[in-house]
């Protein structure tokens, strides 16, 4: 192994949201931050070297996206996902969320109905509300510690007149990597009702052994023509601060509309490090990613076995992808304020509390597993001690 994922890198005073920003969010000092979805690992060495070389060059003018940049993306989609895409399908965005916001603004009207599937990454709901569209929810079904799509409810909601469905694939926070059958049924229903699908696939490269991500638009030509796939190298290679994304739009009309919106908002210029990082990560980052996911998978096993032994009322919902662990804490029988107090004040651990992802997330926590094992171990011990102490104190009252 070339990368040292065990290294505990001090991220304080790096303008890090996860480390420097945690106290301001949770009003508590000295928290172990296992919240924001970025990694505590260094990005792949070839990416850092390419960026360092560019810094050494020292001239930071405006950028264009050159042939080699597009080729690197096309090759990655082919090698990683067995998906043949055309270079002209690739559109730029300074992030997945700005692209989704732009699409909602430009492809729909205020008051139009847009569907999401909670519990889900909160900005996917916020982007609908903040743009004055009507948020329609099709909650995922949770049975036997596993999430699936509720197709009966979906059918009902689509019948009400939905303009856009925002799919989170793989799903943050529940970790599902949607299968071919589920995706095909969902897409078919959208075709029948003339619904555009925005497929947020930012976690698509972060897949555990035995699972396979299927890009929505790779399923069929008909599905591709009504899909906008949002992708990025930023989650995959720990580059989210670089803020860049690839918005893949096979349909020419939709692509023209998107590009004109991007230009109208003067967002068409790439960040210097966005282009460098994208190209070098997709070209040279595959080995690092394999090592990283093998490491994260061991962290997942640790969390699972530790909780089974020490706090069996906290159950990991086994993820198929993402470096996030969605933990069902309902058997603890703590209400949200108690769970928050226990985690933040007693354990000094900062997860994301499930309610953030919608009311369906109440009683759950999301832990970030992309951290050195020593930090994960410390977090688990602190959480376990806090819960046992809290219970003992409650018994004595
Ligand atoms: C599902 C999902 N979409 C989008 C984003 C954010 O993407 P970006 O920083 O490119 O806007 C995240 C970040 O956690 C995410 O989990």
């Amino acid at each position: 192994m070339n990368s040292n994922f065990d290294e505990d890198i001090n991220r304080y005073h790096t303008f890090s949201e996860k480390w420097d920003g945690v106290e301001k969010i949770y009003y508590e000092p000295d928290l172990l931050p296992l919240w924001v979805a970025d990694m505590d690992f260094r990005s792949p060495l070839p990416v850092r070297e390419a960026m360092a070389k560019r810094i050494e060059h020292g001239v930071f003018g405006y950028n264009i996206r050159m042939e080699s940049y597009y080729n690197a993306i096309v090759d990655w989609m082919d090698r990683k996902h067995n998906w043949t895409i055309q270079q002209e399908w690739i559109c730029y965005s300074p992030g997945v969320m700005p692209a989704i916001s732009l699409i909602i603004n430009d492809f729909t009207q205020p008051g139009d109905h847009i569907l999401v599937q909670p519990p889900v990454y909160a900005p996917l709901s916020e982007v609908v509300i903040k743009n004055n569209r009507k948020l329609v929810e099709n909650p995922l079904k949770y049975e036997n510690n596993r999430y699936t799509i509720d197709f009966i409810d979906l059918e009902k909601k689509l019948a009400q007149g939905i303009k856009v469905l925002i799919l989170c694939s793989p799903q943050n926070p529940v970790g599902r990597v949607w299968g071919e059958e589920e995706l095909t049924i969902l897409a078919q229903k959208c075709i029948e009702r003339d619904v555009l699908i925005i497929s947020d696939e930012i976690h698509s490269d972060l897949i555990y052994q035995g699972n396979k991500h299927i890009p929505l638009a790779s399923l069929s030509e008909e599905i591709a023509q009504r899909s906008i796939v949002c992708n990025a190298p930023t989650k995959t290679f720990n580059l989210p601060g670089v803020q860049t994304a690839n918005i893949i739009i096979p349909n020419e009309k939709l692509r023209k509309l998107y590009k004109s919106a991007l230009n109208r908002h003067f967002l068409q210029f790439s960040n210097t490090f966005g282009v460098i990082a994208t190209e070098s990560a997709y070209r040279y980052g595959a080995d690092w990613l394999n090592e990283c996911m093998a490491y994260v998978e061991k962290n997942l096993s640790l969390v699972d076995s530790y909780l089974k032994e020490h706090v069996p009322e906290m159950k990991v919902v086994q993820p198929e992808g993402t470096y996030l662990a969605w933990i069902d804490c309902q058997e603890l029988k703590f209400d949200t304020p108690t769970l928050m107090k226990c985690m933040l004040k007693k354990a000094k651990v900062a997860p994301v509390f499930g309610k953030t992802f919608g009311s369906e997330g109440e009683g759950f926590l999301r832990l970030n597993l992309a951290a050195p094992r020593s930090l994960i171990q410390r977090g688990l011990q602190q959480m376990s001690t806090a819960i046992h102490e809290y219970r003992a104190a409650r018994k004595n009252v």
Side-chain angles (χ1 to χ4, degrees):
M1 192 178 267
N2 299 320
S3 305
N4 182 9
F5 297 106
D6 278 328
E7 186 183 347
D8 184 355
I9 301 166
N10 184 348
R11 293 185 61 192
Y12 285 117
H13 310 296
T14 63
F15 299 94
S16 157
E17 182 188 15
K18 188 181 194 176
W19 289 82
D20 294 315
V22 64
E23 183 170 339
K24 211 166 162 194
I25 295 292
Y26 286 124
Y27 306 105
E28 194 62 31
D30 307 321
L31 290 168
L32 177 62
L34 300 176
W35 63 312
V36 173
D38 66 28
M39 305 181 182
D40 292 324
F41 308 140
R42 284 199 181 90
S43 294
L45 183 61
V47 178
R48 288 184 277 128
E49 283 175 346
M51 287 164 107
K53 198 168 154 205
R54 188 67 187 78
I55 288 177
E56 195 52 40
H57 181 267
V59 182
F60 302 108
Y62 290 109
N63 306 283
I64 58 164
R65 291 174 288 280
M66 304 210 304
E67 191 76 7
S68 59
Y69 164 91
Y70 288 110
N71 286 341
I73 300 168
V74 170
D75 287 350
W76 178 261
M77 291 305 159
D78 185 22
R79 272 184 292 134
K80 186 78 186 162
H81 300 296
N82 205 14
W83 184 27
T84 308
I85 61 168
Q86 307 301 319
Q87 183 172 313
E88 62 266 23
W89 296 356
I90 305 167
C91 304
Y92 165 75
S93 171
V96 164
M97 286 315 304
I100 296 179
S101 188
L102 213 64
I103 294 163
I104 287 179
N105 250 292
D106 271 72
F107 292 35
T108 70
Q109 300 296 321
D112 277 350
H113 291 201
I114 297 182
L115 185 138
V116 298
Q117 298 174 306
V120 72
Y121 177 61
L124 295 182
S125 304
E126 286 166 21
V127 72
V128 176
I129 295 163
K130 286 181 177 167
N131 283 300
N132 298 318
R133 272 54 174 177
K134 172 111 176 68
L135 182 73
V136 179
E137 295 187 325
N138 164 227
L140 298 176
K141 251 193 328 201
Y142 182 55
E143 285 166 342
N144 303 322
N145 210 227
R146 183 177 163 82
Y147 285 87
T148 51
I149 295 171
D150 185 343
F151 284 112
I152 296 173
D153 180 68
L154 178 63
E155 184 71 52
K156 267 193 237 156
K157 301 283 163 67
L158 290 179
Q160 294 168 13
I162 301 291
K163 278 275 168 3
V164 176
L165 181 150
I166 306 178
L167 175 71
C168 191
S169 171
Q171 219 276 1
N172 170 12
V174 310
R176 276 299 316 277
V177 174
W178 303 114
E180 184 171 347
E181 197 185 337
E182 291 165 303
L183 290 173
T184 307
I185 297 172
L186 178 134
Q188 215 50 51
K189 288 186 185 299
C190 288
I191 289 169
E192 282 159 22
R193 303 275 183 185
D194 195 22
V195 175
L196 174 71
I197 311 170
I198 300 175
S199 188
D200 178 348
E201 303 190 7
I202 197 168
H203 293 273
S204 59
D205 301 322
L206 303 157
I207 305 296
Y208 295 115
Q209 293 274 332
N211 298 283
K212 182 160 174 38
H213 169 76
I214 303 167
L216 183 75
S218 72
L219 283 171
S220 74
E221 177 58 21
E222 198 184 16
I223 295 171
Q225 290 303 318
R226 65 175 54 242
S227 307
I228 297 182
V229 173
C230 301
N231 217 314
T234 50
K235 284 279 158 212
T236 313
F237 300 102
N238 200 27
L239 300 157
V242 168
Q243 286 280 275
T244 189
N246 314 311
I247 310 306
I248 304 175
I249 313 180
N251 178 282
E252 194 183 345
K253 207 169 130 206
L254 294 177
R255 198 163 62 235
K256 275 196 180 144
L257 213 56
Y258 175 80
K259 282 191 174 168
S260 88
L262 197 69
N263 289 355
R264 195 156 9 90
H265 291 278
F266 298 92
L267 290 169
Q268 70 271 35
F269 284 115
S270 285
N271 173 300
T272 300
F273 296 101
V275 276
I276 301 281
T278 299
E279 184 175 332
S280 54
Y282 282 148
R283 268 191 206 295
Y284 310 114
D287 290 344
W288 178 93
L289 177 60
N290 289 339
E291 291 171 10
C292 176
M293 282 312 281
Y295 187 89
V296 167
E297 199 154 0
K298 285 199 180 136
N299 281 354
L300 172 64
S301 301
L302 170 69
V303 171
D304 193 38
S305 58
Y306 188 96
L307 291 179
K308 275 187 177 129
E309 187 179 343
H310 298 276
V311 200
E313 300 86 350
M314 290 174 77
K315 292 185 167 57
V316 175
V317 175
Q318 281 305 319
E320 297 160 339
T322 80
Y323 51 72
L324 309 164
W326 183 239
I327 299 177
D328 183 345
C329 306
Q330 293 178 99
E331 280 184 23
L332 282 175
K333 302 207 185 321
F334 290 179
D335 56 19
T336 297
T338 307
L339 191 60
M340 288 181 77
K341 200 167 139 197
C342 205
M343 290 297 136
L344 300 173
K345 293 209 174 297
K346 287 193 179 297
K348 291 284 190 184
V349 170
V352 181
F353 294 96
K355 221 177 134 181
T356 313
F357 304 95
S359 59
E360 298 77 8
E362 191 110 35
F364 290 76
L365 295 178
R366 193 193 76 181
L367 289 184
N368 184 333
L369 303 169
R373 198 150 304 136
S374 58
L375 293 198
I376 301 289
Q377 212 138 19
R378 177 147 67 86
L380 288 167
Q381 279 159 2
Q382 288 173 200
M383 289 192 318
S384 165
T385 306
I387 287 164
H388 289 293
E389 281 179 8
Y390 180 82
R391 282 187 163 154
R394 205 161 56 169
K395 252 187 208 158
N396 293 335
V397 172

